[in-house]
Amino acid sequence: MLLERIYDEDLAQASYFIGCQARGEAIVVDPRRDVDVYLDLAAQHNMRIVATTETHIHADYLSGTRELAARSGAQMYVSDEGGADWRYGNGFASAVKLKHGHRIQLGNISLEAVHTPGHTPEHLSFLVTDGAQASAAGFMLTGDFVFVGDVGRPDLLDEAAGFRDTRFQGAKDLFASLRDRFLTLSDYVQVLPAHGSGSACGKALGAIPATTVGYERNFSWWSTYLENDDEQGFIDELLSGQPDAHAYFRRMKFENREGPAVLGEIAALEEYAAEDLQAELAEDRVIFVDTRHNTLVHAGTVERSLNVPGIEKAASFVAWVYDPQREDRPLVLLAADQSEAEALRDHFIRVGVDTVRGYMTSLDGLPLVKPRVLPPQELDGTERTVLLDVRNKTEYGSGHIAGALQLSGGRVLWNLDQLPDPEVGPIVSYCQSGVRNSVVASALRRAGYDVAELEGSFAGWLAAGNSPEREADPETSVTA
């Protein structure tokens, strides 16, 4: 058996390529949308991808199941659990619908679908048996059910998809899934989750890639609650302190249920000359994306551009500032060369931003503006309508500037009603170090707001000798 983990550091997301070397057949579980990595792996190992599946209807990235099936001819398999509200839509009409206990066979390898609701109602995990070596499962692909040191959060349907109070039933379902599906397995079963540290799908995910049933049984935070059959204690602990859910999760959830658009062959990117870009910007036909660090952006950038700094978090940040359901202008990227521009585009399409048209390798010849930056020592004397903290609510709760409104970066553009009208007056904004703040501030400026970024953000303000307020004020916390 060949088992490869493909990990996207940007979205902290893992997919799995599993192949039977005897038959030359492979399946991909939880694929991302830029699928060349799986096709290249198949070619490298002289295999055909004959199947593709996913553990659940994802919220944090756009699924590549349909894309991979279209490119490889693979049969799609998706969950048929969870009830009518969580059945896959027309985009998956040709998919095999999986119930608990269904097996997918690839030569000597079998994947058994295990219904593990909690994170979502339709969630499946997959028990993997390598029949050439063993008669019982040795691996479990747990998706967003069990992570290293944590379990999937059950509140995303409320926080990101507009449902109401589903978190409580989800937490109960998760307790039952752990008790009846997970802890009944042998300790040696290796656990391969869909996310690692940095994902918003849990609150305490470990940074190592895998764990075992036995390790989680003995050392996870939730094991004592299961051992004592303390369902309510488990629910209370699980639902407390979860990180903010990004607003774009809602779009991901519904697109993934109905079936993401299949991209097929992607057009080559156009390299723009300064005069051509300037003409299109003047008529507001394109949006420029400045991909530099905020310190360079502050020295001068294209007016009304969006700041998506670097490739490391490109998917996450572009989803904060560009909503394809509201915006149809194509994007032009600042990139070192065509290769870097294409890599950025790949990250963008992972969250359904499919409108990258071209790139520029320099700002030479373009008129630039300097975003307003406010030194910490001038904060108290500066007129403002809102002091905006764009960090997560957990960061805010551990210390913030007195009077600040908390509205995390991934939710700002979906909660503009929480801010005063743009014509009323300026906003002063900050994050921890300035990176996230620059991203959010660029989007607010494009939306017409007058924004001053606090120089050095919260860290700079602390370094200037100021003392934070440490109790979170529930009146200043916003939920979408």
Side-chain angles (χ1 to χ4, degrees):
M1 182 177 77
L2 174 71
L3 195 158
E4 294 269 0
R5 175 180 183 259
I6 297 93
Y7 194 67
D8 174 14
E9 296 282 355
D10 186 343
L11 297 168
Q13 181 263 331
S15 50
Y16 295 90
F17 181 102
I18 303 172
C20 174
Q21 291 144 319
R23 289 281 294 271
E25 295 179 345
I27 184 172
V28 179
V29 181
D30 288 334
R32 67 194 194 205
R33 202 157 166 246
D34 51 320
V35 299
D36 282 348
V37 63
Y38 313 113
L39 299 173
D40 291 346
L41 261 175
Q44 176 187 340
H45 294 284
N46 197 28
M47 289 182 174
R48 292 184 305 115
I49 299 173
V50 298
T52 179
T53 188
E54 52 193 56
T55 52
H56 64 293
I57 300 170
H58 294 277
D60 49 345
Y61 72 103
L62 209 55
S63 162
T65 295
R66 294 189 73 227
E67 193 72 35
L68 186 57
R71 292 278 299 276
S72 68
Q75 174 64 58
M76 294 186 292
Y77 294 83
V78 296
S79 176
D80 195 34
E81 297 284 2
D85 288 341
W86 293 103
R87 292 206 174 97
Y88 282 78
N90 292 333
F92 295 94
S94 64
V96 174
K97 307 305 192 294
L98 300 176
K99 292 288 190 182
H100 176 74
H102 191 119
R103 288 180 182 269
I104 304 170
Q105 197 74 33
L106 301 167
N108 294 318
I109 300 167
S110 70
L111 282 76
E112 180 185 348
V114 181
H115 185 213
T116 49
H119 176 68
T120 59
E122 82 292 351
H123 194 287
L124 298 177
S125 298
F126 291 98
L127 282 170
V128 181
T129 302
D130 179 5
Q133 297 290 330
S135 59
F139 307 87
M140 189 181 211
L141 305 183
T142 53
D144 287 21
F145 167 40
V146 175
F147 301 124
V148 179
D150 203 2
V151 291
R153 60 190 296 182
D155 63 321
L156 277 184
L157 300 184
D158 292 347
E159 291 296 310
F163 288 78
R164 188 178 181 86
D165 292 340
T166 62
R167 66 189 70 197
F168 303 110
Q169 184 59 50
K172 286 177 175 286
D173 290 343
L174 195 56
F175 187 88
S177 293
L178 288 167
R179 180 190 62 209
D180 301 334
R181 305 287 199 217
F182 187 78
L183 292 179
T184 56
L185 299 173
S186 299
D187 281 353
Y188 61 75
V189 173
Q190 294 184 50
V191 175
L192 305 175
H195 293 293
S197 179
S199 170
C201 288
K203 62 181 178 179
L205 281 68
I208 59 175
T211 183
T212 65
V213 171
Y215 189 90
E216 297 304 312
R217 187 196 311 275
N218 286 282
F219 301 113
S220 65
W221 68 261
W222 50 263
S223 59
T224 301
Y225 294 108
L226 269 294
E227 184 180 345
N228 295 326
D229 197 27
D230 183 3
E231 181 185 69
Q232 191 58 52
F234 170 83
I235 292 171
D236 293 343
E237 177 65 23
L238 177 62
L239 294 180
S240 67
Q242 290 287 357
D244 292 330
H246 305 311
Y248 81 86
F249 282 10
R250 178 182 177 90
R251 175 170 59 88
M252 296 293 95
K253 180 65 73 173
F254 288 103
E255 286 189 35
N256 280 331
R257 184 173 68 178
E258 296 308 310
V262 174
L263 295 169
E265 186 175 349
I266 302 176
L269 295 178
E270 174 185 352
E271 183 174 2
Y272 274 74
E275 58 269 22
D276 297 329
L277 179 61
Q278 194 169 341
E280 295 220 36
L281 288 171
E283 297 184 14
D284 201 23
R285 294 202 302 266
V286 299
I287 298 173
F288 187 71
V289 181
D290 193 330
T291 58
R292 299 173 299 159
H293 189 269
N294 60 291
T295 54
L296 297 175
V297 170
H298 291 165
T301 189
V302 173
E303 188 173 14
R304 301 189 72 231
S305 62
L306 298 174
N307 182 211
V308 178
I311 198 168
E312 290 81 7
K313 299 296 292 182
S316 304
F317 286 149
V318 78
W320 288 13
V321 299
Y322 183 92
D323 182 359
Q325 291 184 332
R326 307 179 188 182
E327 179 64 78
D328 59 0
R329 291 173 182 81
L331 302 175
V332 177
L333 313 177
L334 181 63
D337 51 32
Q338 182 177 355
S339 177
E340 182 176 271
E342 290 172 348
L344 285 162
R345 178 184 63 187
D346 285 348
H347 280 247
F348 285 16
I349 68 173
R350 292 173 196 174
V351 288
V353 177
D354 303 339
T355 52
V356 177
R357 175 189 290 176
Y359 67 98
M360 283 193 66
T361 60
S362 170
L363 297 179
D364 292 346
L366 294 172
L368 304 180
V369 296
K370 289 186 176 182
R372 187 178 167 203
V373 178
L374 182 70
Q377 59 268 29
E378 297 181 16
L379 177 61
D380 290 340
T382 298
E383 179 186 353
R384 60 180 184 268
T385 55
V386 169
L387 177 61
L388 181 63
D389 186 328
V390 302
R391 300 174 302 160
N392 293 324
K393 57 190 175 186
T394 51
E395 294 175 279
Y396 176 90
S398 65
H400 58 271
I401 302 174
L405 168 71
Q406 186 273 328
L407 186 53
S408 62
R411 303 172 84 149
V412 169
L413 286 190
W414 286 261
N415 286 281
L416 294 180
D417 59 334
Q418 302 293 325
L419 302 177
D421 291 333
E423 63 272 13
V424 172
I427 293 171
V428 175
S429 61
Y430 69 91
C431 65
Q432 187 65 29
S433 67
V435 174
R436 288 173 289 174
N437 190 34
S438 181
V439 174
V440 175
S442 72
L444 286 173
R445 290 189 185 101
R446 182 163 181 85
Y449 288 85
D450 177 9
V451 183
E453 298 172 52
L454 185 62
E455 186 176 16
S457 274
F458 188 63
W461 181 81
L462 290 175
N466 296 294
S467 298
E469 192 169 276
R470 295 196 179 276
E471 266 195 313
D473 180 356
E475 294 300 316
T476 63
S477 185
V478 177
T479 56

